[in-house]
Amino acid sequence: VVLCQDLVELELPEPVDLIFSNATFHWISDHDALFAALFKALAPGGQLVAQCGGRGNINAFCVTADEVATQDPVFADHFAGWAGPWHYAGDTETARRLERAGFTDVSCWLEPRSVTPEDAGGFVRTVCLVRHLDRLPEELWGSFIDAVLERSTHPLVLDYVRLNMMARAPG
């Protein structure tokens, strides 16, 4: 069975024993609603295991991309009022949110890891700048990517911070 749903409004036909997520939760702005929905979906004793972008995730790269987006007159109009779709939470606040949702045996930690992509342009086009590119007409994608990479480190080093979560439903 495949279900396509908004995770903060998750409705399953029956509770599950395990929820696993990778690289998803940082796309959801309301973590309180997310964790409440996930808790409701777990059977007693069920476990949540997840990893997503955490506080500080690719921060230097995001600052550079946002500077290009807002300061370069070619791109600035396309980014007026844009704050980006990410929510990179910290480990302590996430643990508190999980506990407020009802989870027990909560463990959250941040894991830094630097990555140097072999094909910097292809990587940032398909991973790091996707939501930026959504704001631009396709004919500006290449020049935006080039402008961001010109202001970035050479070679490009992305300082990822992963937020790891493990928690259990009581019972």
Side-chain angles (χ1 to χ4, degrees):
V1 173
V2 175
L3 303 172
C4 182
Q5 298 182 39
D6 183 332
L7 282 179
V8 299
E9 299 174 5
L10 182 63
E11 294 284 338
L12 298 179
E14 59 188 62
V16 296
D17 295 322
L18 174 69
I19 295 173
F20 171 80
S21 178
N22 184 44
T24 302
F25 294 173
H26 60 263
W27 295 103
I28 299 170
S29 61
D30 188 346
H31 282 188
D32 289 319
L34 168 66
F35 297 148
L38 296 178
F39 182 81
K40 188 174 111 180
L42 277 173
Q47 189 167 11
L48 168 68
V49 177
Q51 184 184 77
C52 64
R55 175 150 300 125
N57 190 51
I58 62 170
N59 191 59
F61 183 81
C62 288
V63 167
T64 299
D66 289 345
E67 286 173 355
V68 171
T70 59
Q71 296 173 7
D72 187 318
V74 174
F75 311 116
D77 286 346
H78 299 282
F79 290 94
W82 188 64
W86 309 277
H87 178 71
Y88 296 132
D91 53 346
T92 303
E93 70 189 81
T94 298
R96 284 191 206 119
R97 283 187 166 116
L98 287 164
E99 290 166 352
R100 277 197 310 267
F103 287 95
T104 60
D105 301 326
V106 173
S107 179
C108 297
W109 67 98
L110 295 172
E111 180 182 345
R113 182 176 302 157
S114 294
V115 173
T116 303
E118 192 172 307
D119 173 11
F123 189 85
V124 300
R125 179 183 307 105
T126 57
V127 178
C128 304
L129 294 177
V130 172
R131 299 292 71 95
H132 287 82
L133 298 179
D134 286 346
R135 308 276 305 186
L136 296 169
E138 192 170 348
E139 63 268 14
L140 293 179
W141 290 3
S143 57
F144 182 76
I145 292 166
D146 291 345
V148 172
L149 289 176
E150 285 172 17
R151 292 188 188 190
S152 298
T153 60
H154 300 281
L156 177 64
V157 176
L158 298 166
D159 293 318
Y160 278 93
V161 178
R162 309 316 294 163
L163 171 59
N164 299 285
M165 295 166 251
M166 295 179 71
R168 187 172 296 284

